[in-house]
Amino acid sequence: MPDDAASPFLSDRGADFDVVIVGAGVAGLYAIHRLRKMGLRVRAYETGDGVGGTWFWNRYPGCRCDVESLEYSFSFDEDLQQEWEWPERYGTQPEILKYVEHVVERFDLMRDVQLNTRIAAAEFDEDALLWTLTTASGERVTAPVCIMAAGNLSTPRRPDYPGLDAFTGRCYHTGLWPKEGVDFTGLRVGVVGTGSSGVQSIPHIAAQAAELTVFQRTANFILPARNHLHDPEKVRRHKAVYAERRRAAYDTPFGIAGYPPPTKKALEAGAEERHAQYEAKWQEGGSISFLFSYTDLLQDSEANETAAEFVREKIRQTVKDPVTAERLCPDNHPIGTKRLILDTNYFETYNEPHVSLVDLRSTPIETITPRGIRTTDAEFDLDAIVFATGFDAMTGAMLAIDIRVKDGVTLEEQWTGGPRTYLGLMVAGVPNLFMVTGPQSPGVKSQMILSIEMHVDWIAECLERMRRNGQRRIVATAKAQENWVDHVREVAEATLYPQANSWYMGANIPGKPRVFMPYVGGVHTYKKVCDEVVAKGYEGFVLSGEKVGA
Ligand code: N01
């Protein structure tokens, strides 16, 4: 039974549901819970045959979250956060999936999820003020409100090398890992890609494979995770102030409390002091703490270079073969401008005799052959290829759905030059369709679950107000969107982020518009903006029962 006996939202229009949700990952699941508490009739549609999104699909060996487990979890229920036990500093994929499944059972969410259902199209009817979603198998469902919770890193991408289909060995993508797992024992394996997924899986694959060849296009900055079993006393202390820490997280740039912000610029410290600072952070493990060494690491190239060189020195000290070590040293982007990677034994893996590194910048892949991979100067016979080549990030999942307003705009047309949103929550000209952690919000640059909860709560409060006021339509204005898009760009341009060929820039997908997509002004700033928008009567949105131009 709903907790709230208020009348269902717009049920008089004969819609199948009040709100339809695309995706049953962490975002979709929380949306079900939150909206159901308001008495709304909701349903989430999920492509997979299980819930969990990212944590359902990314089952590759070594997969873990790089945000600490005590932070990377829901905050909406005090009993849940007090009772759940995270055994290690960073949650593994199986642990996180187990947690998500527990949440689903605990709050009885499954009854509002339809699995094995891909949403192919969504069309808004301006006269009826209804969204009609069409599934890949042709089923249609209507609701006045649609929430896109389809994920930022949920559209895996494999490069289109010639010959790929002719490869006679086994082929995998880290983001679509087989449920039953993969045994590489005795095999000659090639891994293409050295982002987080590659770096986490390579030591595990190396432990089984007879030979492992890693194909690297860009060397990345990688810091030690320093994972360990939790100290029960530390957990007790954390949980004693859990609610307070969660609140404090909203006042921080990355949405995680407990990291004292830096107070000094890097070049204000002498070389020895700087080295000691970086060394302390290196020993502590984790990325936020390291980036918080100095105030200007992401703004000033010279400052950034001091941290970058510290990490390169660590690589040279760890990897015994000097040629391999130099190849592993990142040299084409400032540290932190691509997502920092946390590792366990990644660099050490290259000291093993059966592991080798191919530099694709000097010898690119020409073709996949039936027997393996051919680069411009060698041929590698392989039994299996693992693509750790990432995702069509931030826009891939939304653009895979034909989203259109009847007789009006399509999302694809709106986003030809890159995504354009108001606050990462809505798109001008597309009424009653909300995004959870959409482009131009801080989502991917934050503790994702906090950002998900923030967005879902914002959407829920907005719908509550619409219901109270008898309003049926909400849309962002073109002007508000333009201002926000400009602001997001200006904030990014004041940093070093746009210098890297990252997925934040869409640079990993050939032909994708090169636009910096996340908002990097920080969760603390963004939350204030969203609160102010509400306080000013949903500034930048038009709320109405009538059809109005956006
Ligand atoms: O993907 P990526 P990912 N030929 O895009 C290379 C989150 N995540 O799955 O850098 C050759 O980062 C590409 O090279 P380049 C996290 O936010 C989190 O690893 O484009 N190589 C790169 O090396 C992360 O940032 C966790 O030159 C090609 C790699 O493939 C995000 O997901 C764990 C290529 C792709 O790296 C994505 O991570 C895993 C080509 N044609 C993921 N195309 C944790 O929480 C691409 N590459 C720890």
Side-chain angles (χ1 to χ4, degrees):
M1 281 292 286
D3 300 356
D4 183 327
S7 64
F9 189 65
L10 294 182
S11 61
D12 56 326
R13 300 241 152 174
D16 297 318
F17 297 97
D18 296 316
V19 181
V20 280
I21 301 162
V22 180
V26 169
L29 292 170
Y30 179 55
I32 295 175
H33 177 67
R34 183 70 173 78
L35 300 178
R36 227 166 53 183
K37 280 184 75 147
M38 290 165 57
L40 299 183
R41 298 169 308 138
V42 300
R43 173 155 297 173
Y45 294 85
E46 168 56 50
T47 306
D49 63 9
V51 295
T54 286
W55 304 107
F56 174 84
W57 296 105
N58 287 269
R59 296 166 188 260
Y60 61 82
C63 180
R64 266 181 204 277
C65 185
D66 56 5
V67 174
E68 298 196 28
S69 55
L70 285 164
E71 308 290 351
Y72 189 84
S73 47
F74 287 115
S75 72
F76 69 84
D77 188 276
E78 182 60 16
D79 291 343
L80 169 67
Q81 66 183 9
Q82 288 296 336
E83 285 165 31
W84 187 263
E85 304 280 349
W86 293 104
E88 295 174 76
R89 180 177 181 184
Y90 300 97
T92 60
Q93 176 272 331
E95 279 160 12
I96 300 172
L97 187 58
K98 193 167 115 193
Y99 167 76
V100 173
E101 288 170 349
H102 167 79
V103 171
V104 167
E105 204 184 313
R106 187 172 179 132
F107 297 98
D108 188 22
L109 303 181
M110 211 57 210
R111 69 185 154 94
D112 291 317
V113 177
Q114 182 170 321
L115 298 174
N116 299 306
T117 309
R118 192 171 65 75
I119 297 297
E123 185 173 38
F124 189 66
D125 181 335
E126 275 287 5
D127 299 319
L129 295 179
L130 280 182
W131 278 100
T132 299
L133 271 62
T134 308
T135 70
S137 62
E139 188 191 346
R140 288 153 77 88
V141 60
T142 57
V145 174
C146 176
I147 296 182
M148 289 288 163
N152 281 291
L153 293 158
S154 50
T155 310
R157 194 186 160 271
R158 215 167 60 168
D160 337 310
Y161 293 124
L164 195 52
D165 293 339
F167 179 58
T168 52
R170 298 195 245 152
C171 209
Y172 305 97
H173 189 288
T174 47
L176 288 170
W177 206 256
K179 264 191 190 166
E180 62 280 10
V182 180
D183 183 3
F184 291 108
T185 307
L187 302 185
R188 297 160 304 173
V189 183
V191 176
V192 183
T194 52
S196 297
S197 306
V199 166
Q200 287 189 329
S201 57
I202 282 164
H204 292 261
I205 296 171
Q208 290 185 332
E211 278 173 36
L212 172 63
T213 311
V214 177
F215 297 85
Q216 170 192 275
R217 188 165 69 179
T218 305
N220 272 312
F221 287 102
I222 302 166
L223 307 174
R226 306 224 183 273
N227 184 50
H228 51 71
L229 285 176
H230 265 142
D231 166 9
E233 181 48 27
K234 185 188 165 213
V235 173
R236 196 197 58 72
R237 284 199 309 270
H238 195 107
K239 288 189 170 179
V241 289
Y242 226 149
E244 207 177 298
R245 284 187 75 113
R246 299 290 201 183
R247 269 192 302 277
Y250 282 105
D251 296 328
T252 68
F254 299 109
I256 304 178
Y259 293 98
T263 52
K264 202 172 187 174
K265 291 183 173 179
L267 300 177
E268 285 169 2
E272 243 176 68
E273 182 189 334
R274 258 197 322 267
H275 191 275
Q277 171 80 330
Y278 293 141
E279 183 63 33
K281 305 287 188 162
W282 181 268
Q283 294 308 329
E284 184 185 333
S287 56
I288 296 180
S289 173
F290 193 87
L291 284 176
F292 270 9
S293 295
Y294 295 104
T295 54
D296 55 350
L297 291 185
L298 291 170
Q299 280 81 32
D300 182 295
S301 297
E302 217 184 317
N304 185 284
E305 183 54 24
T306 63
E309 191 49 26
F310 174 88
V311 174
R312 289 187 206 108
E313 267 313 304
K314 289 289 186 188
I315 298 170
R316 293 181 189 117
Q317 285 162 16
T318 310
V319 179
K320 291 184 183 142
D321 172 42
V323 175
T324 305
E326 224 36 58
R327 280 185 189 156
L328 288 165
C329 284
D331 63 0
N332 70 350
H333 62 282
I335 184 169
T337 54
K338 294 179 89 147
R339 170 94 171 193
L340 274 174
I341 298 172
L342 300 189
D343 86 301
T344 302
N345 292 332
Y346 176 67
F347 291 117
E348 290 80 353
T349 302
Y350 292 95
N351 293 333
E352 301 200 24
H354 68 299
V355 178
S356 56
L357 180 69
V358 173
D359 173 22
L360 295 181
R361 269 198 304 183
S362 51
T363 58
I365 293 176
E366 272 188 340
T367 186
I368 309 286
T369 70
R371 291 170 38 181
I373 289 179
R374 188 162 71 225
T375 66
T376 49
D377 85 340
E379 189 143 358
F380 300 86
D381 285 352
L382 302 168
D383 303 304
I385 302 177
V386 174
F387 287 102
T389 45
F391 303 87
D392 184 352
M394 304 194 69
T395 54
M398 291 268 291
L399 289 175
I401 302 170
D402 179 12
I403 299 175
R404 58 182 64 228
V405 175
K406 199 174 173 191
D407 304 326
V409 292
T410 66
L411 186 74
E412 202 179 357
E413 283 161 8
Q414 290 247 33
W415 285 9
T416 42
R420 302 181 70 76
T421 77
Y422 182 36
L423 301 170
L425 276 164
M426 291 196 95
V427 177
V430 185
N432 292 15
L433 181 133
F434 295 92
M435 293 169 290
V436 182
T437 65
Q440 285 137 5
S441 79
V444 296
K445 294 297 303 165
S446 72
Q447 199 278 80
M448 277 305 292
I449 300 186
L450 169 137
S451 283
I452 285 168
E453 288 185 326
M454 189 197 323
H455 266 187
V456 171
D457 289 344
W458 193 97
I459 295 164
E461 281 156 27
C462 175
L463 294 180
E464 185 56 66
R465 175 190 157 120
M466 288 173 71
R467 176 163 66 174
R468 233 181 11 249
N469 296 347
Q471 292 161 320
R472 299 182 186 283
R473 187 181 189 275
I474 177 168
V475 72
T477 69
K479 184 76 195 144
Q481 175 166 291
E482 199 184 309
N483 289 344
W484 181 250
V485 171
D486 286 349
H487 174 65
V488 169
R489 199 195 53 247
E490 281 159 17
V491 171
E493 280 171 358
T495 70
L496 303 175
Y497 280 109
Q499 293 186 19
N501 286 324
S502 63
W503 57 258
Y504 301 140
M505 289 290 289
N508 61 326
I509 305 289
K512 189 165 172 170
R514 212 187 146 89
V515 175
F516 191 81
M517 295 184 281
Y519 174 63
V520 285
V523 164
H524 53 329
T525 316
Y526 177 79
K527 172 87 166 62
K528 279 198 199 98
V529 174
C530 289
D531 290 349
E532 266 172 39
V533 162
V534 173
K536 291 182 181 165
Y538 289 84
E539 189 178 46
F541 294 98
V542 175
L543 284 111
S544 165
E546 304 302 319
K547 178 179 168 180
V548 286

